[in-house]
Amino acid sequence: RQHYDRPTPSELVQAGDHGVTLEYLRGMSGHGYRVGRLGALVEMRDHGVTPDYIEELARYGVRDIPPREIVELRDHGVTPDYVGQLRRLGYPGLGTRAMIELRDHGVTADYVETLARNGIRDIPPSELTRMRDHGVMPEFVAALRTSGYGRFGTDDIVRLRDHGVDGPYVAALGSLGYTGLSADEIVRLRDHGVDPEFIRRVTDRERFTPEELVRLRTGG
């Protein structure tokens, strides 16, 4: 009655072995998933796609997506709770691929929320993924902000992290009075080995610009 291909006895046995019951068939159909082949329905069941899962996703606006995509969501650990948290944090209506990318790259709701508390909010999902891939943790963003560098955008933050600039380094720069530096200046200091201890030694009696510090360090 639900227009599935006529199953063979072995297919019916397989369906029963894999938990594809009449109740499951009706439940999936009730959410619009009449996939036409019993084998396809078995695959969805094997991957943990249940009527409850579909119903919970629909509550957060994820509905009417192809069976293959909903299996992918389940396989990659995209739970209804995760979708709801992203929606609450300002990311409603994300596509299947975007949600999978975020989940696969370790972008958790806590990560997004903590970044937002430190001034990094409403950025594209691809930027969240890029920051996470480059090791930009919320603690580093918080250190930038408390050390006087809260104006940096995501490109600058990623570049700083790529060059080994961490929270203690920017905190030390801030404590030594170097709070108005550009990202280029901080990267140049870090790349040339201008560490906080060196700055303390050479600025004991005189303050130097970032460029002068670099020249002093490279000049031995």
Side-chain angles (χ1 to χ4, degrees):
R1 285 197 301 271
Q2 294 189 22
H3 307 292
Y4 276 75
D5 294 341
R6 184 178 179 84
T8 65
S10 62
E11 287 174 329
L12 288 171
V13 170
Q14 182 191 34
D17 287 345
H18 287 256
V20 177
T21 62
L22 182 59
E23 181 184 7
Y24 183 77
L25 174 74
R26 287 171 172 162
M28 296 297 287
S29 174
H31 292 290
Y33 286 89
R34 297 183 181 182
V35 292
R37 291 186 306 104
L38 194 54
L41 198 63
V42 169
E43 181 185 15
M44 295 183 80
R45 185 69 182 86
D46 284 351
H47 287 262
V49 178
T50 65
D52 286 344
Y53 179 73
I54 295 171
E55 185 175 1
E56 289 294 309
L57 286 179
R59 284 179 51 211
Y60 298 113
V62 180
R63 54 172 59 90
D64 301 325
I65 61 176
R68 182 69 257 168
E69 289 186 20
I70 203 162
V71 167
E72 284 187 51
L73 285 176
R74 195 70 182 87
D75 284 351
H76 288 264
V78 178
T79 65
D81 184 56
Y82 182 66
V83 175
Q85 289 174 326
L86 289 177
R87 186 184 181 94
R88 176 176 59 82
L89 293 168
Y91 293 92
L94 292 178
T96 303
R97 184 50 49 193
M99 288 187 286
I100 289 174
E101 288 286 326
L102 289 172
R103 194 71 183 86
D104 283 354
H105 289 262
V107 178
T108 64
D110 285 344
Y111 182 80
V112 178
E113 192 167 17
T114 308
L115 287 180
R117 284 201 303 267
N118 288 283
I120 305 298
R121 57 171 58 88
D122 301 325
I123 62 176
S126 59
E127 282 296 284
L128 289 171
T129 299
R130 184 167 75 106
M131 292 180 72
R132 189 67 181 82
D133 285 351
H134 286 261
V136 177
M137 301 305 291
E139 296 81 7
F140 177 58
V141 178
L144 286 172
R145 188 176 187 183
T146 57
S147 302
Y149 299 105
R151 69 187 185 281
F152 289 149
T154 56
D155 285 343
D156 284 336
I157 293 172
V158 167
R159 183 161 175 252
L160 290 170
R161 199 67 194 89
D162 285 349
H163 285 262
V165 178
D166 56 17
Y169 187 78
V170 294
L173 287 180
S175 68
L176 292 167
Y178 290 89
T179 57
L181 306 183
S182 67
D184 287 341
E185 288 174 319
I186 297 174
V187 166
R188 187 161 165 74
L189 289 172
R190 187 69 182 83
D191 285 352
H192 286 85
V194 180
D195 57 33
E197 182 55 35
F198 177 78
I199 296 174
R200 290 188 189 97
R201 290 204 311 270
V202 299
T203 59
D204 185 38
R205 298 186 180 183
E206 183 179 355
R207 179 181 172 85
F208 295 99
T209 66
E211 187 57 36
E212 289 171 331
L213 288 171
V214 169
R215 288 208 305 271
L216 288 168
R217 189 72 181 87
T218 56

